[in-house]
Amino acid sequence: MIISKDGYIVTNNHVIDGAERLEVTLNDNRTFNATVIGADPTTDLALIKIDENDLPVIPMGDSDALKVGEWVLAVGNPFGLTSTVTTGIVSAKARSISSATNGRRMGIESYIQTDAAVNPGNSGGALVNLNGELVGINTAIYSQTGNYAGYSFAIPTSIVTKIATDLKQYGTVQRAILGISFYELDAKLAKEKGITKVNDGLYVGAVSDRSAAMEAGIKEGDVITAINDVPTHNSSQLMEQINRFRPGDKITVTYVRDNKVYKTPVTLYNNQGSTKITQASSVTDLGCAFKKLSDETKRQLNISSGLQVTGLKDGKFKDAGIKDGFIILDINNARVTSQEDVEKIYNSIVKSDDYDHVMFITGIYPTGKKVYYAVDLSD
């Protein structure tokens, strides 16, 4: 999906993930090599760029204004058929599809559900309204066969625009965290907790330490019913609202406590409990190179595998106290035998939404001394 005249394109992360080379073919059959500007597995979005100017750009629509029952068009290249257009209606907004994937979370879930026919090859294609404005990026289908079975899902432009802007400006997503765990309120939970003021919302089960919610005075037992006066009847609606903002942004949370309605201003934090901008990072921030162990070294140390740290310089490893020659046996309980193993683990840690971004390393020095290190990967 071309979003700027100078060659920025939005697609799904799963379309480009693991690719060694990217090639973009336009409708006029011109072909360009593309570079990855940034990717976000959590929302399954990626921003890539081709070196070209004066490209046609799809106009951005307002997914918030989209209504259930409205006609939409899905554009893509299913089964290699170029520029295929299908039509359907909006069946739901802020839809979660974990229940349709046997409980497997699909990252931030707040999809537009339609019955427009979407098949393999449609991923990353446009979902447009009848004015030809982009309202979503086609991302997933619900199917037991892998092909269209009546349900398709698109990421709304309210999320796409924010993620693409972050990737363009910072190379990584600036993700705001409210800092709560919650349950969707239902009749059983409401009766159990004596809640009569509302029938739905997000029941706060716990508030994280050093979080935006704790700072704002939100407590366990509160029921969040709106963000900036936009109702949050379920978890998908809450996630869609919070995902529009960056750390440091201020929002208004409406909640029910003791069957009374309250509003409170909240300054959102990142997952490190601050409003600091997150910088794009890479495995080079560790500040070293790696080399495979010789069979002789493995025999001497009586180990079956490992990876040796070499060429240590200023970086995360040195800050943690690791010295040249240290042999890594495992990271976060996963065995490592190559630099690719380290890169894979590093990327999974820094791209996760977990509060702590830490490498727990077990290793051994050539003297035979076994050592444990905790490497902080947060900014």
Side-chain angles (χ1 to χ4, degrees), residues 32-74:
F32 299 89
N33 290 326
T35 55
V36 177
I37 303 301
D40 182 41
T42 303
T43 53
D44 194 20
L45 289 171
L47 183 68
I48 64 177
K49 190 178 188 306
I50 61 175
D51 189 16
E52 181 63 7
N53 291 301
D54 296 323
L55 292 168
V57 177
I58 188 168
M60 279 286 178
D62 182 4
S63 58
D64 290 342
L66 201 62
K67 299 190 185 312
V68 172
E70 186 173 336
W71 285 95
V72 286
L73 306 174

Side-chain angles (χ1 to χ4, degrees), residues 313-373:
K313 57 184 180 182
D314 290 343
K316 301 286 188 182
F317 270 18
K318 190 173 182 180
D319 292 344
I322 294 175
K323 296 178 174 59
D324 246 339
F326 177 66
I327 298 167
I328 300 172
L329 299 178
D330 65 64
I331 301 175
N332 292 8
N333 296 319
R335 284 277 177 179
V336 294
T337 59
S338 67
Q339 180 167 327
E340 288 73 23
D341 291 340
V342 177
E343 290 177 357
K344 185 176 179 180
I345 295 169
Y346 176 92
N347 289 332
S348 70
I349 294 172
V350 298
K351 290 179 179 179
S352 78
D353 290 331
D354 292 341
Y355 186 81
D356 294 316
H357 287 180
V358 182
M359 274 185 170
F360 294 103
I361 300 177
T362 302
I364 191 171
Y365 280 99
T367 59
K369 182 181 179 181
K370 196 170 185 179
V371 184
Y372 304 89
Y373 291 107

Side-chain angles (χ1 to χ4, degrees), residues 80-145:
L81 302 172
T82 305
S83 297
T84 295
V85 180
T86 56
T87 186
I89 62 169
V90 176
S91 308
K93 295 174 63 178
R95 177 74 85 191
S96 168
I97 60 174
S98 290
S99 60
T101 53
N102 298 317
R104 180 171 59 90
R105 295 295 299 179
M106 302 287 286
I108 290 178
E109 294 192 15
S110 188
Y111 296 110
I112 300 167
Q113 180 187 332
T114 78
D115 66 349
V118 169
N119 283 292
N122 275 107
S123 289
L127 184 74
V128 301
N129 59 24
L130 294 185
N131 293 323
E133 298 167 331
L134 182 72
V135 291
I137 299 290
N138 298 314
T139 296
I141 58 175
Y142 171 53
S143 171
Q144 295 177 333
T145 64

Side-chain angles (χ1 to χ4, degrees), residues 255-305:
Y255 64 94
V256 172
R257 178 184 296 171
D258 298 327
N259 288 313
K260 295 180 181 177
V261 178
Y262 299 90
K263 287 188 178 184
T264 185
V266 177
T267 300
L268 294 170
Y269 294 160
N270 59 28
N271 59 9
Q272 299 302 310
S274 75
T275 59
K276 200 173 151 186
I277 291 295
T278 302
Q279 301 298 326
S281 60
S282 74
V283 73
T284 58
D285 293 341
L286 298 178
C288 66
F290 302 95
K291 71 176 182 180
K292 292 187 176 182
L293 295 181
S294 65
D295 291 338
E296 182 180 352
T297 300
K298 286 188 280 190
R299 279 196 303 270
Q300 288 175 351
L301 296 174
N302 198 27
I303 57 178
S304 60
S305 62

